[in-house]
Amino acid sequence: MPFRAALLATLFVGLVAHAEEPKPVGRGRVLPGLGQDGLVQLPNQWKLNPAGRQTEVGDLPVNIAVHPSGQFVAVLHCGMREHEVVVMATGAAGAIASRTVVKQAFYGLAFSPDGKQLYTSGGEFDVVHFWDFDKGTLHNARTLEVKTPGRKTVPAGLAFDAAGRELFAAGLWADCLIRVPLDNPANPVVIPLTPKPAVVDAPKGEPASPPDGRKEPGAKPKIEDEYGGTRPVAGNTFPYAVLVEPGKKRAFVSLWGASAVAVIDLETNAATSRWATEAHPTEMLLSPDGKALYVACANSTQVSVFDPATGKPLQTINAALYPLAPNGNTPNSLAMTPDGAMLFVANADANNLAVFNVTDPKEAKPMGFVPTGWYPTSVRYNALDKSLYVANGKGIVSKANPSGPNPLVPASRNTGEYIGTLLRGTVSTIPMPTPATLAKFTKAAYECSPLRPGDAVRNENVAAGNPIPRKLGDPSPIKYVIYVVKENRTYDQVFGDLAARKVSPKGNGEPGLCLFPADITPNHHKLADEFVLLDNFYVDGEVSADGHEWSMGAYATDFVEKLWPLSYRGSPGKVFGYPSEGAQDAAARPAGGYLWDRAAEAKVTFRNSGEWVTNGTKKPDGTFNPGVATVKTLEGHIDPEFRGYDLDYPDVKRAERFVSEVQRFEKLGDMPRLQIVRLPNDHTSGTRVGKPTPTAQVADNDLGLGLLVEGVSKSKFWAETAIFVIEDDAQNGPDHVDAHRTVALVISPYTKRNHVDSTLYSTTSMLRSMELILGLKPMSQFDAAARPMYDAFRATADVTPYTHAVPKYDLKTLNVAGAWGAKLSEGFDLTKEDQADDLLFNEVIWKSVKGAKSIMPAPVRAAFFLPVKAK
């Protein structure tokens, strides 16, 4: 039987077996890590069961290059830790042959056609690093300058012509393609991609909000942006990858931020046309016969396919687990067998490879899925050993970080327990699956995903009358939703003391890690006692840059995921600025939009206080000019008098402002059904002299939350209201269960009273619950798949109002000179969230609370596999 027919027959049997409705989810506490079923439970509710052999490489591997001999693969990782090129032997051994550190890199990685040299992007330093390659080792390091006049270039994707005489580099920040003759590298040709060439078809995808206040293309760009980075050229399309056509007549450049592929005439060195793709085109490949160009489109579910001769679309391939699934699987890398028959698509957020038979370029036939590690960023096929090599950006397990930060380690090396550096990437080596193996892999891929077809909620054993509807569009007794977003705390930091309480201990906490116990955060504790304690709730993001995207959009695009580690590295890395919250909206915006976009679509009234808002400047009298929205949808839907992120402004005042608006709405007779409120001061200012102490700022945040809940509970809207409280991320502290575990609250007359809910929830569970209550469609596969917070609610209401508590700490306590970390804190940039070095910032907060000589507990790590390490 032919391979494809045998595979389809075997796959059909496996999928029929899978199609049975799963048994109802149990109520026991399920924690992240290796489960009894042999699968790794992730904090975001998805699971891992990676195929093949796993080799640990480094922080956020983003690209793999196969040596022309097939005997080695090179892996580039570009996370928060050191950037490295790791060379691995292929075949049965798979040992690491060498590791080479570079100051910075970004995506670009390529062997010369003869295999004698290896090249990689130098990121913000506007260079390309290259080495001589000899049996797996790199030596004789050199660099090529890749610059454009008067602007940062940031070379990204790299490619060679067939003869290896010219190097082509995509200029990520300069919106250009740079052509470097290797026999005369001092005279490169810069091919601009703006102003825009003629467009064959209008770019696809949902329209993005307007760019962040930039001038029109052609105007002189600002050098520095408000987030501390170097602003890209005006109208930038973020060129990502480059592919040179055999014969060197044309080159193709994927325009990451423009939903198109630019076609470059290499005889005239000019961009001649654009072929419209789905959103965020990244990697491209040509079929061996040159009759099809495949383009992975990461901010979609799809791969765009073109006829290279004409530019006409041949087909669009859906790589998601289900045909009608919303955005979210993030297809970002491609590989193909040498005969052009099999196409492999790396779905980063779905943690799998989609496999297609593409013998007919006009009709791809789905063959199945291969489960991978967490966030696969690159897939390559090696013909020598007939194996797939997959870079798993976040490795294959989430981890706890009870020792983060560790004061016993010098600050310059104190990186082991910070969430941004905790996840160690791996490379999976997967032999080419047989039909029977691929059927098993496919079943495993479906078992690892909580996503189901359609909008129906999977079998959840939901009690009758639960105020969260089981189906979108069903009624709810809750009319108003208030969504409060705070900054950066872990569960153990605030609620760890509950487990050691003498009277009514509760929750899965570690008291030794609690920095802000009941005396400091009495309202958090009182709300958790009177309503629901959530001791198994996790954020979906790692830091604020992706955390606010997850909190508002149930998704962080590949643009955000690949750029924030570079920004958060400190120096170097600050050229990249802050890639979200409207700062780079045209490129960072998810295809499914944000919560306010879904509300506008459903004609649900909404108002935003502090998110995606630029604060007004301070007036001479001490008051502030009105704030402005950073994206179009929010224009006219913000409270301009509400102060957004500003650590010098108390959360108590923010709460007072919000409550005064609720009282105004009472007089008007109604209030917006969805309100988003930012209370950011639990971020703290460290121990900077003259600023409130970390304890004072957390206490201020606690009191602000208590006042907000009390004000709402005493309003006429209370009987129909639910308040959801979350941290945008959990990066600034330790937790003994998982670095993603955080503080979350649900407060409503319909919330269960005096209850502990240990159901595994994450950010998207909260979003899904709000969407079902308000009748909003999911924004991504993640909120569509998330378990709603049914176990935190009940059918009957208790409208008893809440009375706030006062922290037993003076909110006006200021840091004094000589405090541990005061000098460090003076150097922290606290004007925007997460601009300070978080490794040092965490240590300052810990010692401010626990004492300068305090020692943290030893680390506890989850483990799933024994990695293959270099000797």
Side-chain angles (χ1 to χ4, degrees), residues 359-371:
T359 305
D360 182 351
K362 296 181 180 179
E363 187 180 354
K365 295 178 175 60
M367 308 299 286
F369 295 89
V370 178

Side-chain angles (χ1 to χ4, degrees), residues 263-278:
V263 182
I264 313 300
D265 185 330
L266 295 179
E267 294 183 354
T268 62
N269 287 325
T272 58
S273 62
R274 287 186 183 179
W275 299 344
T277 68
E278 302 300 323

Side-chain angles (χ1 to χ4, degrees), residues 540-870:
D540 283 325
E542 271 82 45
V543 297
S544 287
D546 64 328
H548 281 277
E549 294 287 321
W550 279 104
S551 299
M552 297 299 146
Y555 183 66
T557 65
D558 61 313
F559 178 89
V560 173
E561 290 280 14
K562 291 174 181 175
L563 283 185
W564 77 252
L566 303 182
S567 174
Y568 276 60
R569 294 182 81 211
S571 183
K574 286 298 183 181
V575 67
F576 296 98
Y578 188 73
S580 62
E581 293 186 59
Q584 296 287 356
D585 188 65
R589 188 177 194 270
Y594 297 106
L595 199 55
W596 44 80
D597 296 301
R598 284 292 184 252
E601 175 188 62
K603 295 182 171 51
V604 169
T605 55
F606 64 97
R607 198 175 199 227
N608 173 41
S609 299
E611 284 283 334
W612 266 254
V613 170
T614 300
N615 285 329
T617 55
K618 196 170 187 177
K619 299 178 183 178
D621 64 0
T623 61
F624 296 93
N625 288 305
V628 296
T630 61
V631 293
K632 188 173 182 60
T633 309
L634 286 178
E635 291 176 1
H637 293 277
I638 68 166
D639 179 357
E641 304 302 321
F642 189 96
R643 194 82 178 153
Y645 185 90
D646 178 356
L647 296 179
D648 291 330
Y649 192 86
D651 277 343
V652 167
K653 286 189 176 181
R654 290 186 177 92
E656 290 171 347
R657 169 65 188 180
F658 183 80
V659 171
S660 72
E661 286 295 278
V662 171
Q663 293 169 347
R664 182 174 68 86
F665 288 134
E666 280 192 287
K667 294 177 182 178
L668 293 174
D670 202 3
M671 71 176 183
R673 293 191 61 203
L674 169 65
Q675 294 191 76
I676 300 165
V677 187
R678 191 169 194 168
L679 294 181
N681 283 10
D682 57 339
H683 181 285
T684 86
S685 301
T687 54
R688 181 176 291 181
V689 176
K691 300 294 183 182
T693 65
T695 303
Q697 287 199 291
V698 171
D700 164 59
N701 176 263
D702 175 82
L703 181 55
L705 178 62
L707 291 172
L708 184 151
V709 174
E710 179 180 290
V712 174
S713 74
K714 292 182 178 179
S715 75
K716 75 173 194 176
F717 305 115
W718 174 236
E720 300 177 285
T721 297
I723 302 172
F724 293 85
V725 183
I726 196 174
E727 306 284 323
D728 75 302
D729 64 74
Q731 64 174 304
N732 276 358
D735 192 273
H736 84 283
V737 173
D738 189 276
H740 297 82
R741 194 169 66 137
T742 196
V743 174
L745 296 162
V746 287
I747 307 149
S748 171
Y750 290 94
T751 305
K752 290 179 180 177
R753 295 280 182 155
N754 306 303
H755 179 64
V756 178
D757 184 358
S758 296
T759 308
L760 175 63
Y761 297 130
S762 68
T763 304
T764 49
S765 293
M766 191 169 279
L767 289 167
R768 181 63 167 159
S769 302
M770 294 188 288
E771 291 163 352
L772 288 168
I773 289 169
L774 295 171
L776 311 183
K777 293 179 181 178
M779 295 174 283
S780 77
Q781 292 179 18
F782 287 89
D783 50 340
R787 175 176 173 79
M789 302 177 73
Y790 291 119
D791 292 344
F793 287 84
R794 62 184 182 183
T796 57
D798 178 351
V799 295
T800 304
Y802 176 77
T803 301
H804 78 275
V806 178
K808 295 178 181 179
Y809 190 89
D810 186 354
L811 273 60
K812 296 182 180 179
T813 305
L814 304 180
N815 294 310
V816 297
W820 196 96
K823 290 185 178 179
L824 284 173
S825 296
E826 288 300 320
F828 292 153
D829 180 4
L830 301 174
T831 57
K832 300 296 295 185
E833 63 270 40
D834 296 358
Q835 296 302 293
D837 185 321
D838 281 273
L839 305 174
L840 298 176
F841 194 65
N842 290 349
E843 187 173 8
V844 166
I845 295 173
W846 176 271
K847 291 195 172 185
S848 169
V849 177
K850 294 288 190 179
K853 296 182 179 181
S854 61
I855 298 177
M856 293 185 121
V860 177
R861 297 183 184 273
F864 169 56
F865 72 110
L866 295 176
V868 178
K869 294 185 177 181

